Amino acid sequence: MEDWFNQVDATYRGDLRELNELNFARFDAKLEQCVAQLDAKLKQGLAEVRADLAGLAAKLEQRLAEVRADLRDELHAQGKMLMRWMFVFWVGNVATTAVLVFGLAHFLRP
């Protein structure tokens, strides 16, 4: 009788092991499928992000070019204004110096 229980127990253990292996194989297949789907979604998402970043980089390059052009124009305008003020200052100094020289020469004459 004890041998019969051992045989039944061994049979049930074998059946249970086989059933567990089948369930694990099914679980493993589903897990592989989920991982493959997740990998595909991740790759698609990364491709979209890369495309968005490329578009943003192009817009940034364009905006930087515009800012550079605006800055160049503004610096040019500032340079022109500075030259005008330098000329006015120079003319004022020359005129003042000339008046002082002629005035001193006039007063120093005997």
Side-chain angles (χ1 to χ4, degrees):
M1 181 93 167
E2 189 177 321
D3 289 333
W4 181 78
F5 278 125
N6 286 337
Q7 285 178 347
V8 169
D9 187 43
T11 303
Y12 283 151
R13 281 186 187 190
D15 290 347
L16 184 61
R17 182 176 294 120
E18 193 176 310
L19 185 61
N20 281 339
E21 287 176 3
L22 288 173
N23 282 336
F24 180 76
R26 221 177 305 145
F27 169 76
D28 194 33
K30 284 183 181 180
L31 183 64
E32 287 291 327
Q33 181 185 9
C34 288
V35 167
Q37 289 174 350
L38 183 61
D39 187 45
K41 286 180 182 179
L42 184 62
K43 286 180 182 178
Q44 180 184 2
L46 284 175
E48 290 173 1
V49 167
R50 283 187 183 130
D52 290 345
L53 285 176
L56 287 175
K59 287 180 185 177
L60 183 62
E61 282 288 328
Q62 180 183 3
R63 184 65 184 130
L64 281 174
E66 291 171 4
V67 168
R68 283 187 195 127
D70 291 345
L71 183 61
R72 191 176 312 124
D73 293 344
E74 188 65 30
L75 285 174
H76 183 68
Q78 289 293 324
K80 286 172 71 174
M81 186 180 72
L82 183 62
M83 289 298 288
R84 278 190 220 127
W85 280 109
M86 285 174 60
F87 182 73
V88 168
F89 179 74
W90 180 78
V91 167
N93 277 338
V94 168
T96 303
T97 304
V99 167
L100 285 174
V101 168
F102 287 124
L104 281 175
H106 180 66
F107 285 118
L108 293 177
R109 265 195 227 163

